[in-house]
Amino acid sequence: MELRGIFPICERDFIVSWRNISSDLLPTIVSPLTFFLAFGFGLQGYLSDIEGVPYMTFMVPGLVSMTAVTSAFDHGAWSLWFHRIVQKTINEYRVNPISVYEIVIGKILSGFLLGAIKGMVVAIILLFLINFQTSTGSESAFGEFKDSSLAVSHLLFYLLFVFLGSMIFSCVGTMCGTVMDRPEDLNKIQGVVITPLVFLAGLFFPLSSFPPEVLPLIKLLPTTAIFEGARQALLQGRVESQYILELFSSAAISFILAVIIFQKYIEE
């Protein structure tokens, strides 16, 4: 299978997105920052530490993961839909000697990278606000990691969860952008599927808050592996093999499905 067309397609999407980076970053940053300030300031007086960390610190890994995965989904879905329905760029690609595999992999890769970059931008801002860079024990207006140097060593494990989550959501977005012809349907997927999956995964509260009868089902959600797994990795340095296996298998399955669905619809 030829792969030389992947990087030009990914590069093109990257250049186009970079031209609008200032206008794109503003809503990307404002949304998680609003959650952080509103819930953090609004509820921190009513909540004790959660799992040993201040509530505002507890929220940060989830907000960063949320930004990365939703950005990956948005780019995968809207980029492919726009290029397929409006600009007809996909048809132009097919005139060239490149395969459908190269097209869809290029789209998935660009969505994954843009989602990961936006997540990192939000991470820098939020980690600064919770005084991530200070030495152990120093005070911050927004909270602190109890052991900042330990949290830094956990960052690579945390990034693994963010990258896998961005890959999964980029693939899901690519599938939606491939099969849906109306922009209203993409909005419905975001409202009916993506948002509940994100908020039910313990973004703002610990999973122990769920009733015991419901908790096993919640743990099966891929978003639980992304958000809870990432939080455990960053704040506790703990990596659950179940979450890692779930994310790798979800990423592989979603990637295969995205390629198969794209190939089927393009060849019709």
Side-chain angles (χ1 to χ4, degrees):
M1 180 176 64
E2 294 286 344
L3 299 177
R4 61 186 178 185
I6 293 175
F7 295 106
I9 292 173
C10 181
E11 182 182 14
R12 178 202 176 279
D13 284 359
F14 218 87
I15 292 173
V16 171
S17 298
W18 188 256
R19 290 172 183 164
N20 304 314
I21 192 66
S22 57
S23 59
D24 284 348
L25 273 182
L26 183 60
T28 301
I29 294 171
V30 166
S31 179
L33 190 60
T34 301
F35 282 122
F36 176 77
L37 295 176
F39 284 95
F41 283 123
L43 297 178
Q44 67 175 350
Y46 299 94
L47 297 173
S48 58
D49 290 355
I50 297 178
E51 298 176 350
V53 297
Y55 181 60
M56 298 182 82
T57 302
F58 176 85
M59 288 193 302
V60 168
L63 290 174
V64 174
S65 301
M66 180 190 73
T67 303
V69 300
T70 55
S71 295
F73 173 84
D74 287 344
H75 182 80
W78 288 102
S79 172
L80 191 53
W81 177 85
F82 193 76
H83 291 165
R84 185 172 62 88
I85 302 295
V86 180
Q87 290 189 329
K88 308 294 183 184
T89 313
I90 300 298
N91 293 336
E92 294 181 11
Y93 287 153
R94 300 218 62 201
V95 175
N96 297 295
I98 58 176
S99 67
V100 293
Y101 296 102
E102 293 167 274
I103 297 173
V104 70
I105 293 174
K107 290 293 183 185
I108 291 172
L109 186 60
S110 63
F112 155 71
L113 290 175
L114 287 167
I117 288 173
K118 290 179 178 179
M120 291 305 102
V121 171
V122 172
I124 291 171
I125 295 173
L126 295 183
L127 291 176
F128 172 77
L129 290 177
I130 60 172
N131 210 15
F132 182 71
Q133 297 296 332
T134 61
S135 59
T136 301
S138 62
E139 295 293 336
S140 165
F142 298 94
E144 60 175 313
F145 279 100
K146 289 195 169 183
D147 188 335
S148 296
S149 59
L150 185 64
V152 171
S153 69
H154 301 159
L155 195 57
L156 289 178
F157 293 117
Y158 175 69
L159 291 177
L160 175 62
F161 283 92
V162 175
F163 287 161
L164 288 172
S166 299
M167 177 63 74
I168 294 169
F169 273 71
S170 179
C171 292
V172 174
T174 300
M175 284 185 264
C176 294
T178 300
V179 302
M180 295 180 177
D181 293 333
R182 301 189 310 165
E184 297 91 333
D185 293 334
L186 293 179
N187 284 326
K188 289 177 183 175
I189 290 295
Q190 288 178 309
V192 176
V193 179
I194 303 300
T195 300
L197 283 177
V198 168
F199 281 79
L200 286 174
L203 176 59
F204 295 110
F205 51 85
L207 295 182
S208 56
S209 300
F210 284 105
E213 301 80 11
V214 178
L215 188 56
L217 297 177
I218 296 297
K219 286 190 173 182
L220 290 178
L221 298 176
T223 44
T224 301
I226 296 172
F227 292 109
E228 182 65 14
R231 178 184 290 119
Q232 290 179 359
L234 184 62
L235 300 183
Q236 303 171 9
R238 183 157 57 94
V239 179
E240 285 201 21
S241 57
Q242 175 190 341
Y243 288 151
I244 288 292
L245 290 174
E246 189 174 336
L247 288 182
F248 270 112
S249 58
S250 297
I253 292 171
S254 60
F255 175 75
I256 293 171
L257 287 176
V259 172
I260 292 174
I261 291 172
F262 182 80
Q263 184 179 25
K264 177 184 176 183
Y265 273 77
I266 290 301
E267 291 180 346
E268 284 181 350

